[in-house]
Amino acid sequence: MKKQILGAMCVAAMMSSCHIYKAYDRPESIDASGIYRDPASATDTLVSDTANMGNLPWKEVFRDAKLQALIEEGLANNVDMQAAILRVEEAKVMLTAARLSYLPSINLAPQGTLSSFDKSKPTQTYQLPVAASWEIDLFGKLLNAKRGQQAAYLQSKYSRQAVRSQIICGIANTYYSLLMLDRQVEITTETAAIYKENVRVMEAMKIAGMTTEAGVAQMRAASHQVEASLLDLKRQVRETENSLAVLLAKAPQTIDRSTLDEQVMPEELTAGVPMQLLENRPDVKIAEMTLASAYYTTNQARSAFYPGLNITGTAGWTNSAGVAVLNPGKLILNAVASLTQPIFNNGKLVANLKVSKAEEKIAQMNYQQTILEAGKEVSDALFLYDTQNKKLIEDRGQVDQLDKAVTYTKSLFQSGDATYLEILTAQQNLLSAQLSEVSDNFQRIQAVINLYSALGGGRE
């Protein structure tokens, strides 16, 4: 009867612990539908196909040969990238250790003693035992520890991928910022030369009695303003070069680069279906592996309620057998099996399980939130690209008209129908429009970079 009761208890324990052995599955409550907004649709419904820009190799997105060389240098030398690679190796070692926990541990523990009674000749005794200990994984404690470590290993790999994507997009973004500043320096330098000529002309006109000292002073002030903005732009160029050098793990230095006008970016941006975001973005995968790790931690907390079976044994040689001293040595063997069933642990096991379940729930909520934030980034990048395309059309139209305005105003001035102040105003408006066009062109390129990053681009 006792055997039947014990057997029934074991079966009940096995049935109640079935969940312990179940591997992690993505929760059905995780929802990725409708996380993209269409930049043009009034209903916010994005018509997506299976094409995904994030699946493109980075060299197909960033086609500038000089930029490609910088990205390759950054991936090889960047400190964050090297640290991420080492963390993957650390996690791999820990996973190997978790897998080896299924095997018995074996230790050699030699011992020797000298004993003497009432000044008699010392007696020498020795033992040369090999001790082995083996934990039998009846209720998934080691299994869940191994699976949790595997999730941690995958998490480190996705972290490395996140760093890789950040480096690629960070170098590209800084490089294009540098090209934008170069173009703005070029435009401002040309404008500064025009303003200097304007000052010379105004001074000559004052001598000829055609204008006043106030007009000359106003032109000089405008020229000083342009020169000051030129100095500020050159400072920004130097600082951007320094930032890019640091990304490449180099001392601040001049960066070899091309021009903004030479850049060719993908014209059609595709976001793919929302579920692809779960597989491509490293931060989403990191959040999921955090959830998986929390799931296995909860399973470990459950397994702590069930018995633990340990088998230990020793084998070796000794010349000691109780009170007798034997010589030569004899073989010793010893084996023990112990079953430990928690009964009362001051509520620690229950508390640990409750905490683990709460942490698992938090991880699940963070996972869903990460998906929503990823969808926001994709939506923002799509809308930014669409907006900048439209703004560039307006910018180019504005620059074209203001360029004509400068020409017309000069003609009117020569005929006496306009003042030199009107020429100055037209030139200032043209400079502002030209700088805005360059900035908006950079924003359009930045939208491409943002979308590529938001879709998990730059994978190995």
Side-chain angles (χ1 to χ4, degrees), residues 51 65 109 127 136 164 188 235 248 290 321 444:
Q127 288 186 347
I136 307 300
R164 176 183 171 87
T188 307
R235 173 188 59 78
L248 304 176
T290 301
R444 178 179 176 274

Side-chain angles (χ1 to χ4, degrees), residues 135-136 138-139 303 306-310 338-342:
E135 182 177 359
I136 307 300
L138 291 178
F139 295 99
S303 67
Y306 301 106
L309 177 60
N310 287 275
S338 62
L339 186 68
T340 305
Q341 170 63 55

Side-chain angles (χ1 to χ4, degrees), residues 25 32 83 107 112 118 133 136 175 201 219 325 332 346 351 428 439:
D25 285 323
N107 299 283
D118 197 20
S133 176
I136 307 300
Y175 181 81
V201 171
M219 180 58 70
V325 177
I332 56 172
N346 298 326
Q428 287 176 329
S439 178

Side-chain angles (χ1 to χ4, degrees), residues 301 304-306 342-354:
F305 286 89
Y306 301 106
I343 296 177
F344 181 72
N345 285 336
N346 298 326
K348 292 181 180 179
L349 298 182
V350 175
N352 189 41
L353 180 58
K354 288 182 178 180

Side-chain angles (χ1 to χ4, degrees), residues 100-177:
L100 292 176
S101 63
Y102 285 95
L103 301 177
S105 61
I106 301 175
N107 299 283
L108 177 64
Q111 296 179 356
T113 62
L114 286 174
S115 58
S116 174
F117 181 75
D118 197 20
K119 299 181 181 181
S120 63
K121 182 179 179 180
T123 302
Q124 300 178 0
T125 60
Y126 67 86
Q127 288 186 347
L128 297 174
V130 175
S133 176
W134 187 18
E135 182 177 359
I136 307 300
D137 194 26
L138 291 178
F139 295 99
K141 177 183 176 182
L142 299 180
L143 174 65
N144 284 291
K146 184 200 74 172
R147 286 174 173 174
Q149 194 58 54
Q150 189 167 14
Y153 171 62
L154 292 175
Q155 190 176 35
S156 70
K157 292 183 69 174
Y158 293 129
S159 296
R160 179 184 63 185
Q161 177 54 45
V163 173
R164 176 183 171 87
S165 180
Q166 289 168 4
I167 290 172
I168 292 172
C169 294
I171 291 175
N173 193 48
T174 309
Y175 181 81
Y176 290 125
S177 298

Side-chain angles (χ1 to χ4, degrees), residues 201-213 216 413:
V201 171
M202 288 289 286
E203 288 174 342
M205 290 175 63
K206 176 181 174 294
I207 294 173
M210 298 174 62
T211 188
T212 64
E213 182 63 31
V216 175
F413 174 76

Side-chain angles (χ1 to χ4, degrees), residues 305-424:
F305 286 89
Y306 301 106
L309 177 60
N310 287 275
I311 298 176
T312 58
T314 56
W317 293 89
T318 182
N319 71 336
S320 173
V323 297
V325 177
L326 306 177
N327 207 0
K330 302 294 182 180
L331 178 67
I332 56 172
L333 294 172
N334 181 42
V336 177
S338 62
L339 186 68
T340 305
Q341 170 63 55
I343 296 177
F344 181 72
N345 285 336
N346 298 326
K348 292 181 180 179
L349 298 182
V350 175
N352 189 41
L353 180 58
K354 288 182 178 180
V355 170
S356 299
K357 286 182 176 180
E359 290 298 323
E360 183 181 352
K361 185 63 177 178
I362 292 171
Q364 182 172 333
M365 292 188 295
N366 288 338
Y367 180 32
Q368 181 68 65
Q369 185 64 29
T370 303
I371 294 172
L372 295 176
E373 291 172 357
K376 171 190 175 298
E377 291 182 14
V378 173
S379 299
D380 289 348
L382 286 170
F383 196 76
L384 177 61
Y385 182 81
D386 183 70
T387 300
Q388 294 309 125
N389 271 338
K390 293 174 181 177
K391 283 187 67 177
L392 274 176
I393 295 174
E394 303 299 332
D395 287 342
R396 287 162 183 164
Q398 183 185 28
V399 169
D400 181 62
Q401 293 302 313
L402 288 174
D403 188 53
K404 291 178 181 179
V406 171
T407 303
Y408 296 153
T409 305
K410 286 180 178 179
S411 298
L412 290 171
F413 174 76
Q414 290 173 357
S415 64
D417 295 324
T419 65
Y420 214 83
L421 180 60
E422 291 176 283
I423 296 178
L424 173 62

Side-chain angles (χ1 to χ4, degrees), residues 56-331:
L56 292 175
W58 61 265
K59 286 188 177 181
E60 292 186 20
V61 178
F62 310 119
R63 303 172 188 175
D64 186 319
K66 293 180 179 179
L67 172 57
Q68 290 179 353
L70 292 173
I71 290 175
E72 288 177 344
E73 185 177 357
L75 291 175
N77 299 331
N78 183 270
V79 174
D80 292 335
M81 190 66 196
Q82 299 305 310
I85 291 173
L86 290 175
R87 290 192 183 98
V88 172
E89 293 302 316
E90 290 176 358
K92 187 176 181 180
V93 170
M94 296 301 294
L95 176 58
T96 301
R99 286 171 174 166
L100 292 176
S101 63
Y102 285 95
L103 301 177
S105 61
I106 301 175
N107 299 283
L108 177 64
Q111 296 179 356
T113 62
L114 286 174
S115 58
S116 174
F117 181 75
D118 197 20
K119 299 181 181 181
S120 63
K121 182 179 179 180
T123 302
Q124 300 178 0
T125 60
Y126 67 86
Q127 288 186 347
L128 297 174
V130 175
S133 176
W134 187 18
E135 182 177 359
I136 307 300
D137 194 26
L138 291 178
F139 295 99
K141 177 183 176 182
L142 299 180
L143 174 65
N144 284 291
K146 184 200 74 172
R147 286 174 173 174
Q149 194 58 54
Q150 189 167 14
Y153 171 62
L154 292 175
Q155 190 176 35
S156 70
K157 292 183 69 174
Y158 293 129
S159 296
R160 179 184 63 185
Q161 177 54 45
V163 173
R164 176 183 171 87
S165 180
Q166 289 168 4
I167 290 172
I168 292 172
C169 294
I171 291 175
N173 193 48
T174 309
Y175 181 81
Y176 290 125
S177 298
L178 199 51
L179 300 189
M180 175 196 68
L181 290 169
D182 285 345
R183 179 63 182 138
Q184 289 182 334
V185 166
E186 182 182 346
I187 292 171
T188 307
T189 300
E190 293 172 357
T191 304
I194 293 173
Y195 275 47
K196 285 181 179 179
E197 178 62 18
N198 289 346
V199 170
R200 188 192 67 78
V201 171
M202 288 289 286
E203 288 174 342
M205 290 175 63
K206 176 181 174 294
I207 294 173
M210 298 174 62
T211 188
T212 64
E213 182 63 31
V216 175
Q218 190 171 24
M219 180 58 70
R220 286 172 180 161
S223 179
H224 288 310
Q225 182 183 25
V226 173
E227 290 289 348
S229 64
L230 180 59
L231 291 172
D232 190 51
L233 285 171
K234 288 181 178 179
R235 173 188 59 78
Q236 292 180 52
V237 168
R238 177 62 64 93
E239 291 176 353
T240 306
E241 281 187 318
N242 294 345
S243 297
L244 185 50
V246 171
L247 277 175
L248 304 176
K250 298 195 300 188
Q253 58 191 266
T254 301
I255 302 297
D256 183 30
R257 54 192 182 271
S258 56
T259 64
L260 189 63
D261 294 336
E262 297 178 70
Q263 302 309 305
V264 179
M265 305 297 290
E267 292 296 328
E268 295 184 3
L269 306 186
T270 54
V273 295
M275 284 302 292
Q276 289 179 330
L277 197 66
L278 301 184
E279 306 302 330
N280 290 350
R281 274 189 60 132
D283 61 334
V284 174
K285 296 300 292 182
I286 290 170
E288 183 172 20
M289 289 303 101
T290 301
L291 173 58
S293 180
Y295 171 84
Y296 292 126
T297 300
T298 302
N299 278 354
Q300 284 182 272
R302 287 192 178 100
S303 67
F305 286 89
Y306 301 106
L309 177 60
N310 287 275
I311 298 176
T312 58
T314 56
W317 293 89
T318 182
N319 71 336
S320 173
V323 297
V325 177
L326 306 177
N327 207 0
K330 302 294 182 180
L331 178 67

